[in-house]
Amino acid sequence: MRERSALWKKRVAQAASTDKTRTRPLTDLYRGDHWTQSKRLLQWAEKAHFNAELWVASAGLGLQPVSAPAPAYAATFSTRHADSVATSTASSAEWWSHLQADSGRTTLEDLGKRGPVLMVLSEVYARAMGAELRALGALATEALLIGGDEEIAGIQRVASDAGLRGALGGTLTSLNVRMAASWLQHCEDRSLTSVATSNSWHQWAVGASKPERHNREPMSDEEVIAFIKRGIASAPGTSRTRLLRTLRDSGRACEQSRFAGLFNRTMGNQ
């Protein structure tokens, strides 16, 4: 794992240094609903009277500010994904540790020393970053985790709730970040984790959460192929797994093996 991560970092650095025109700030590099909503968090943080910065937890780059330049890349901790960097929780954690090992790298603990920290993490990313999360929790600071995998001492956690999607809108992939935006809208006393803020948000969430019913609409082959073409055109390099998730999140249905066959046929004809 150490050798693989070292080779990965070398290739990223070479791609960035060989041609500066191939790099872009992370805020311009990422696409999709999740990222669109993430950038809007800064607006809600400002309205809640926080002087906020937006950082990215990247399986390819480590913890980075959105202003950091990088070449286009594909990496994830989702083990069933074609671009996965690891095959287990343990190997994901090891990979993250190696990414963050360079001198001068910023950690969650470093951010916690600067002020309150609001984190939006999926289960797989929270597991990979477990050691840093525990180090952050050991500080006497305000730390809030939306999503994640487990309770961590010193960090207030709000578990992902699919029942809120009706009230918050969007796809399941952006649910956690939409929950974070909603939380910021309930910050009534300029405190991220105060009793007043927590009570206000949870009171709203109890009334807003409704169980989801999955009555997805089936699609013809032609409709699926058209969807794949639109998805690839709007975000080149998007994986088959991500496209299928987006399709299902939109309320439409396609069996996984069928989608895989149509995806391969579509990409082979381009």
Side-chain angles (χ1 to χ4, degrees):
M1 181 64 71
R2 183 182 299 275
E3 290 75 14
R4 285 182 59 241
S5 62
L7 179 59
W8 169 267
K9 289 193 287 187
K10 181 179 179 180
R11 288 179 175 175
V12 170
Q14 287 177 338
S17 61
T18 301
D19 185 357
K20 294 295 184 182
T21 63
R22 296 173 62 186
T23 65
R24 285 182 288 170
L26 294 179
T27 189
D28 298 329
L29 187 63
Y30 299 135
R31 293 290 184 270
D33 185 40
H34 180 276
W35 183 239
T36 298
Q37 300 303 320
S38 295
K39 291 190 287 187
R40 291 175 180 169
L41 282 178
L42 289 175
Q43 301 173 14
W44 290 112
E46 183 178 351
K47 290 180 180 179
H49 305 288
F50 292 109
N51 183 19
E53 298 177 348
L54 187 60
W55 288 68
V56 177
S58 164
L61 305 172
L63 191 61
Q64 297 284 346
V66 295
S67 58
Y73 71 97
T76 180
F77 286 122
S78 299
T79 55
R80 297 183 180 179
H81 198 285
D83 298 317
S84 179
V85 298
T87 58
S88 66
T89 297
S91 58
S92 293
E94 186 179 357
W95 177 274
W96 181 262
S97 176
H98 291 322
L99 280 184
Q100 291 283 85
D102 294 344
S103 60
R105 288 275 187 170
T106 301
T107 66
L108 291 177
E109 185 178 5
D110 295 328
L111 295 182
K113 293 176 181 177
R114 302 180 191 178
V117 179
L118 169 59
M119 296 162 288
V120 181
L121 296 173
S122 66
E123 292 183 3
V124 291
Y125 275 71
R127 292 169 190 158
M129 300 169 64
E132 279 198 31
L133 286 168
R134 289 186 288 273
L136 172 63
L139 292 175
T141 187
E142 280 193 290
L144 174 67
L145 172 61
I146 306 293
D149 174 55
E150 62 181 356
E151 305 299 325
I152 296 176
I155 296 178
Q156 184 170 337
R157 176 179 175 239
V158 179
S160 184
D161 181 359
L164 292 174
R165 193 161 66 129
L168 297 176
T171 64
L172 282 175
T173 56
S174 67
L175 175 61
N176 286 350
V177 72
R178 289 174 184 270
M179 288 175 59
S182 175
W183 184 280
L184 288 171
Q185 293 170 52
H186 286 80
C187 288
E188 300 179 347
D189 52 5
R190 302 188 182 186
S191 175
L192 189 63
T193 58
S194 69
V195 173
T197 295
S198 182
N199 287 345
S200 176
W201 189 85
H202 282 99
Q203 183 177 0
W204 167 82
V206 167
S209 183
K210 306 293 181 184
E212 286 195 309
R213 295 180 179 179
H214 297 290
N215 296 316
R216 296 190 175 100
E217 179 183 353
M219 302 173 67
S220 67
D221 286 359
E222 291 74 19
E223 290 173 326
V224 175
I225 290 171
F227 171 86
I228 292 170
K229 289 180 177 179
R230 288 195 301 271
I232 295 299
S234 62
T238 302
S239 70
R240 184 188 73 205
T241 304
R242 185 177 296 276
L243 277 176
L244 178 57
R245 186 186 308 120
T246 301
L247 182 147
R248 288 175 170 173
D249 286 348
S250 69
R252 289 169 287 182
C254 184
E255 196 273 329
Q256 185 173 354
S257 61
R258 175 173 167 245
F259 187 87
L262 293 173
F263 179 88
N264 292 335
R265 184 201 308 177
T266 304
M267 300 306 292
N269 290 335
Q270 289 189 349

